[in-house]
Amino acid sequence: MKTVGCLILDGVRAFDYAVIGEVWSDRRSRLGCPTFELRVCGPPGSRVRFGGGLERVPDAGLDALLTCDLVVVPGVQEPTVRAPEEVLDALRAVHAAGIPIASLCAGAFLLADAGLLDGRRATTHWYLAADLAHRHPAVQVDPEVLFTGDGQVWTSAGVAAGIDLCLHLVRAAHGQQAAAAIARAMVTAPFRSGGQAQFIPTPVPDATADDPLSGVRAAVLGALEHPWTVGELARLATMSERSFARRFTETTGVPPLRWLSEQRVLAAQRLLEETDLPVDEIAVRCGFGSAVSLRPAFTRRVGVAPRDYRRTWR
């Protein structure tokens, strides 16, 4: 992978464009970095307006993308606005030629509009994931990963996840040392663990007067350290276990014990962020009993271990 094409059009995000330039620009001063040729391609004869007021005249037209080893599509400011057909046709031609394509953040919408994500697993910024899935039901949208791809088509989550994907593509083509050298020059980590789940805010659900189970949930949230069972919760609601489990699932969308585990993890997240309590004590307060029990549930829900999460967010 020597020649990388960056596709630009009106409304692309300046940050994503800058990331592509930082990773693949030809900087011989970066010790251990491969030599790349970065081609900035766009509709011919036009001055492209980036989000934020910046402008850029493409170095080459859309046809130049067909002679690249990789094509990267930055995110766009307005993903609901369909790109010009000539841009989508260019992406289809690149894909038909067998050239790998990668999109950053909301750039996934361009690939989806071109039909390149149908039947594929893809991601985008977690805030836009539901919209992408709604507009393109044939796309298998995964809102939790930082990036995903099958070797031909790649998509990444928002903002910094674009850096993760670009470094991954360098690592796959040129090895770990090359990716590490570029990451070092950018003063960033060559690899980040976990996924988007650690960045998605999940508020505690509000209790409403017309919800007959809100009192049960409030009691549980006030005593997460208690070893609750479905039987105890049903007795609080003065219902049979079967009726309670069915009604609870209808109300919250998840079974009682799964909801309880999620609330315990959310409480542990807040304590890891806001306090200096030892992880073992946090585990006890949140109902896990010990750090050994907390770790798998926390990692499964958030994507990283409790101690790693604290180091990131404290």
Side-chain angles (χ1 to χ4, degrees):
M1 181 180 66
K2 293 294 185 180
T3 305
V4 178
C6 174
L7 171 61
I8 61 172
L9 67 159
D10 282 346
V12 298
R13 290 172 52 87
F15 180 89
D16 292 352
Y17 167 76
V19 165
I20 296 167
E22 282 294 320
V23 173
W24 281 295
S25 60
D26 182 11
R27 296 190 179 174
R28 292 175 176 82
S29 61
R30 297 192 297 197
L31 186 63
C33 296
T35 300
F36 298 111
E37 177 190 352
L38 179 63
R39 295 179 185 171
V40 179
C41 306
S46 64
R47 180 178 291 274
V48 171
R49 295 179 294 274
F50 293 174
L54 301 178
E55 293 185 348
R56 173 72 152 87
V57 176
D59 298 329
L62 296 171
D63 290 346
L65 296 172
L66 289 170
T67 58
C68 295
D69 301 316
L70 169 72
V71 170
V72 188
V73 182
V76 290
Q77 294 286 108
E78 299 294 340
T80 57
V81 177
R82 186 179 175 90
E85 204 61 34
E86 63 176 336
V87 171
L88 301 181
D89 284 342
L91 288 172
R92 296 181 186 112
V94 167
H95 179 65
I99 301 169
I101 302 176
S103 69
L104 311 188
C105 195
F109 284 78
L110 273 71
L111 302 192
D113 286 343
L116 305 186
L117 297 183
D118 288 355
R120 280 187 160 96
R121 184 169 173 248
T123 192
T124 187
H125 193 292
W126 58 263
Y127 185 78
L128 299 171
D131 189 28
L132 179 62
H134 176 73
R135 289 179 58 192
H136 298 280
V139 180
Q140 302 167 19
V141 180
D142 186 344
E144 296 189 356
V145 295
L146 293 176
F147 60 83
T148 186
D150 58 8
Q152 272 307 111
V153 179
W154 296 85
T155 54
S156 79
V159 196
I163 301 175
D164 296 318
L165 174 55
C166 291
L167 291 176
H168 172 78
L169 294 173
V170 171
R171 185 184 303 111
H174 299 281
Q176 172 60 27
Q177 289 186 340
I182 295 173
R184 192 175 296 112
M186 295 175 65
V187 196
T188 189
F191 178 80
R192 289 192 300 163
S193 60
Q196 291 197 78
Q198 59 188 306
F199 305 103
I200 302 174
T202 309
V204 176
D206 294 330
T208 58
D210 59 349
D211 179 0
L213 300 182
S214 62
V216 175
R217 294 202 299 275
V220 171
L221 292 174
L224 284 172
E225 72 282 0
H226 182 78
W228 294 102
T229 65
V230 176
E232 286 180 296
L233 299 179
R235 285 192 291 274
L236 283 176
T238 62
M239 301 170 67
S240 69
E241 286 191 33
R242 179 175 298 179
S243 297
F244 171 78
R246 182 180 67 252
R247 186 62 180 274
F248 191 97
T249 303
E250 291 172 352
T251 303
T252 65
V254 293
L257 294 183
R258 178 178 167 186
W259 176 86
L260 176 60
S261 178
E262 290 177 352
Q263 297 309 309
R264 284 174 166 157
V265 169
L266 287 172
Q269 284 182 263
R270 289 191 291 273
L271 291 175
L272 288 166
E273 293 174 17
E274 300 169 4
T275 75
D276 294 318
L277 292 171
V279 175
D280 272 312
E281 185 172 344
I282 290 175
V284 171
R285 289 193 181 195
C286 296
F288 289 102
S290 69
V292 174
S293 299
L294 167 63
R295 181 185 175 93
F298 193 96
T299 304
R300 188 165 52 248
R301 172 70 172 77
V302 182
V304 293
R307 296 184 192 279
D308 294 333
Y309 183 85
R310 168 170 271 174
R311 279 195 293 268
T312 299
W313 293 102
R314 279 289 285 163

